[in-house]
């Protein structure tokens, strides 16, 4: 059969497939819904790991993919329900055919109203068919919208990282370059967004398209719009559906924001969130009640609220700020080139059957010096007594770096105690001109020896 889209045979094939497309829609929707239910929870676990591991790029990727798949799941569920109604309507039409308003024997006023507003049963089936087909198409269009957003942000990050890897600029010059690059790049991205919301407003007229065309072509390549552009314009050329392609995404984001801020307040005084204190125990500080798939680890963790041993394990997860605080305290540890983040280190290469490592181990003396600074930075107290500690570094079950020590609590009495960690406060160096020493966390626990 000819695949020439202008041939009559191909058009007949499309017409036939169009009439039978509901079967493929239901099949694809069913498999997609099943797969999405299977992947949503693991994806949320990965998001928690990315946040905990201070992994900005992976976190950005998951935070983009997760809402996109959520949209797809919700829309496909609605699609399956409406397709079920449509199939039920077809079956009912086979049994009772059209709606006979005279048989209902209503008054003329209600008969005229129902005839006008409800109309024929065939029209109802036709509307359901149009809604279902439109929903199925819009569900996957939303995925492409989120993909375009991710690619736009990703391209900015890629260029910034590639320029940094070339070592063309110093650290200060790299910051200046990133600022200017972000200003110009996102200014052009704003034009794309304005055109998107305005349903092609920058493509109209005489002067605007000439100026806008190079920007449009550039971002078309970045966002791989050739994959979904026909879907968009097919929506935009219809009065009844063009608003869907433009406003369903902002509407979803608005609804998501409203739902995320909606919650039940259990008490006028007691809350279920906040940092641990003398009167509140945040479960993010206790390993035995942390659900790795749902909860974020707080600044530090201990095994449990109840400690029955003569020692107390204490773990502090590594973050970028902690390393910046180390550099602030001892500038000799600050490297000439910051190696944090993604990149090729050139120290380890692997091919099937062969792995080469070239000087992949860090200087042990420098690591010891680093840990000495960490130990000097943090002061650990139980109640009001300073406790001796010696942090080493390790990884948890998720591969996250953390500092770990074991505190001697053999001499403290039974009952409730407060663990205090004092050290450099802050979590964003851009907003901290000076590092302030403060109580970072207070963790209540109860000590009962076996």
């Amino acid at each position: 059969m000819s695949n020439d889209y202008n041939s009559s045979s191909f058009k007949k094939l499309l017409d036939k497939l169009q009439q039978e497309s509901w079967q493929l829609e239901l099949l694809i929707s069913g498999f997609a819904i099943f797969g999405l239910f299977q992947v949503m929870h693991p994806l949320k676990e990965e998001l928690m790991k990315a946040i905990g591991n201070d992994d900005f790029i992976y976190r950005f990727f998951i935070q983009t993919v997760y809402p996109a798949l959520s949209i797809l799941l919700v829309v496909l569920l609605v699609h399956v329900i409406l397709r079920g109604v449509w199939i039920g309507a077809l079956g009912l039409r086979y049994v009772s055919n059209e709606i006979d308003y005279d048989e209902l024997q209503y008054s003329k006023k209600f008969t005229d109203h129902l005839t006008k507003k409800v109309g024929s049963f065939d029209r109802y089936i036709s509307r359901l068919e149009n809604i279902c087909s439109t929903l199925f198409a819009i569900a996957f269009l939303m995925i492409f919208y989120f993909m375009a957003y991710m690619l736009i942000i990703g391209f900015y990050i890629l260029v910034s990282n590639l320029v940094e890897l070339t070592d063309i600029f110093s650290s200060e010059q790299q910051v200046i370059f990133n600022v200017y690059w972000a200003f110009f790049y996102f200014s052009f991205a704003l034009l794309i967004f304005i055109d998107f919301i305005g349903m092609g407003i920058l493509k109209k007229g005489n002067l605007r398209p000439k100026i806008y065309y190079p920007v449009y072509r550039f971002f078309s390549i970045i966002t791989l719009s050739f994959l979904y552009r026909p879907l968009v314009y097919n929506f935009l050329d219809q009065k009844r559906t063009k608003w869907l392609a433009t406003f369903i995404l902002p509407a979803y984001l608005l609804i998501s924001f409203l739902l995320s801020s909606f919650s039940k307040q259990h008490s006028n005084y007691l809350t279920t969130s906040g940092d641990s204190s003398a009167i509140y125990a945040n479960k993010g500080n206790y390993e035995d009640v942390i659900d790795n798939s749902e909860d974020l680890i707080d600044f530090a963790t201990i095994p449990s609220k109840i400690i029955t041993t003569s020692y107390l394990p204490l773990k502090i997860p590594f973050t970028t700020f902690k390393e910046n605080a180390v550099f602030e305290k001892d500038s000799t540890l600050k490297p000439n080139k910051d190696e944090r983040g993604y990149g090729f280190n050139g120290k380890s290469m692997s091919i099937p059957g062969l792995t080469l490592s070239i000087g992949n181990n860090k200087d042990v003396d420098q690591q010891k010096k680093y840990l000495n600074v960490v130990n000097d930075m943090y002061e650990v107290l139980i109640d009001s007594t300073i406790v001796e500690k010696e942090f080493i570094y390790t990884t948890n079950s998720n591969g996250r770096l953390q500092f770990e020590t074991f505190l001697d609590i053999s001499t403290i009495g039974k009952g409730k105690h407060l663990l205090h960690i004092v050290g450099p406060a802050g979590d964003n160096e851009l907003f901290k001109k000076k590092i302030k020493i403060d109580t970072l966390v207070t963790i209540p626990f109860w000590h009962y020896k076996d």
Side-chain angles (χ1 to χ4, degrees), residues 65-171:
V65 170
Y66 191 85
L69 296 184
S70 299
I71 288 179
L72 183 60
L73 178 60
V74 171
V75 175
L76 288 179
L77 283 171
V78 174
H79 168 262
V80 168
I81 292 171
L82 290 180
R83 268 298 175 194
V85 175
W86 177 77
I87 293 172
L90 285 176
L92 185 61
R93 184 183 184 278
Y94 175 77
V95 174
S96 61
N97 208 341
E98 270 289 352
I99 302 174
D100 189 350
Y101 292 103
D102 293 333
E103 185 67 24
L104 297 174
Q105 297 180 0
Y106 291 160
S107 65
K108 185 178 184 305
K109 183 177 181 64
F110 276 97
T111 300
D112 292 343
H113 173 77
L114 293 174
T115 303
K116 180 180 178 181
K117 294 296 182 180
V118 177
S120 70
F121 198 61
D122 286 353
R123 187 180 72 167
Y124 171 71
I125 294 175
S126 176
R127 285 181 173 178
L128 277 177
E129 165 67 21
N130 292 336
I131 292 172
C132 291
S133 296
T134 302
L135 273 177
F136 189 75
I138 206 73
F140 292 95
L141 184 58
M142 292 302 97
I143 298 296
F144 288 122
Y145 280 164
F146 273 93
M147 182 185 73
Y149 165 74
M150 184 176 66
L151 290 172
I152 288 174
I153 302 296
F155 184 79
Y156 167 77
I157 296 173
L158 176 64
V159 171
S160 298
N161 287 342
L162 287 177
V163 171
E164 187 174 356
L165 287 174
T166 60
D167 287 332
I168 296 176
F169 302 121
S170 65
S171 298

Side-chain angles (χ1 to χ4, degrees), residues 132-237:
C132 291
S133 296
T134 302
L135 273 177
F136 189 75
I138 206 73
F140 292 95
L141 184 58
M142 292 302 97
I143 298 296
F144 288 122
Y145 280 164
F146 273 93
M147 182 185 73
Y149 165 74
M150 184 176 66
L151 290 172
I152 288 174
I153 302 296
F155 184 79
Y156 167 77
I157 296 173
L158 176 64
V159 171
S160 298
N161 287 342
L162 287 177
V163 171
E164 187 174 356
L165 287 174
T166 60
D167 287 332
I168 296 176
F169 302 121
S170 65
S171 298
E172 293 76 13
Q173 291 173 333
Q174 182 66 38
V175 172
I176 296 173
F177 168 79
N178 288 343
V179 171
Y180 279 103
W181 165 230
F183 174 77
F184 286 106
Y185 180 76
F186 289 110
S187 295
F188 291 134
L190 180 62
L191 293 179
I192 297 293
F193 181 73
I194 292 172
D195 186 64
F196 171 73
I197 295 295
M199 300 183 186
I201 190 173
L202 297 182
K203 299 184 182 77
K204 300 176 182 178
N206 295 319
L207 180 61
R208 280 177 298 182
K210 293 180 181 179
I211 300 174
Y212 177 63
Y213 182 74
V215 178
Y216 167 77
R217 290 288 297 161
F218 175 72
F219 280 94
S220 294
I221 296 171
I222 291 176
T223 59
L224 306 179
S225 63
F226 66 90
L227 293 172
Y228 55 90
R229 190 185 297 132
L231 281 174
V232 176
Y233 291 118
N234 200 291
F235 275 110
L236 292 179
D237 70 353

Side-chain angles (χ1 to χ4, degrees), residues 157-334:
I157 296 173
L158 176 64
V159 171
S160 298
N161 287 342
L162 287 177
V163 171
E164 187 174 356
L165 287 174
T166 60
D167 287 332
I168 296 176
F169 302 121
S170 65
S171 298
E172 293 76 13
Q173 291 173 333
Q174 182 66 38
V175 172
I176 296 173
F177 168 79
N178 288 343
V179 171
Y180 279 103
W181 165 230
F183 174 77
F184 286 106
Y185 180 76
F186 289 110
S187 295
F188 291 134
L190 180 62
L191 293 179
I192 297 293
F193 181 73
I194 292 172
D195 186 64
F196 171 73
I197 295 295
M199 300 183 186
I201 190 173
L202 297 182
K203 299 184 182 77
K204 300 176 182 178
N206 295 319
L207 180 61
R208 280 177 298 182
K210 293 180 181 179
I211 300 174
Y212 177 63
Y213 182 74
V215 178
Y216 167 77
R217 290 288 297 161
F218 175 72
F219 280 94
S220 294
I221 296 171
I222 291 176
T223 59
L224 306 179
S225 63
F226 66 90
L227 293 172
Y228 55 90
R229 190 185 297 132
L231 281 174
V232 176
Y233 291 118
N234 200 291
F235 275 110
L236 292 179
D237 70 353
Q238 302 177 58
K239 292 182 178 180
R240 293 183 178 181
T241 61
K242 68 179 182 180
W243 64 271
L244 278 172
T246 303
F247 293 109
I248 194 169
L249 183 57
Y252 172 82
L253 295 176
L254 177 61
I255 293 171
S256 297
F257 172 76
L258 293 175
L259 289 177
S260 63
S261 61
F262 181 80
S263 62
K264 180 182 179 181
Q265 183 68 29
H266 297 278
S267 169
N268 288 300
Y269 299 98
L270 307 179
T271 64
T272 58
S273 61
D275 297 328
S276 292
S277 65
I279 60 173
Y280 176 68
N282 185 333
K283 68 176 182 176
N285 294 122
Y286 306 98
E287 294 178 0
D288 61 340
V289 293
I290 289 176
D291 182 348
N292 290 327
S293 64
E294 300 290 341
D295 302 318
L296 284 175
I297 297 175
D298 202 0
F299 180 85
T301 62
I302 59 177
S304 175
K305 294 186 182 76
I306 301 175
I307 305 298
T308 59
T309 59
S310 60
Y311 59 90
L312 176 62
L314 173 63
K315 299 173 184 177
I316 300 178
F318 172 88
T319 63
T320 301
F321 173 79
K322 292 183 179 69
E323 184 153 296
N324 292 338
V326 169
F327 297 157
E328 183 78 14
K329 190 171 180 66
D330 188 344
S331 59
T332 62
L333 285 169
K334 187 174 183 178

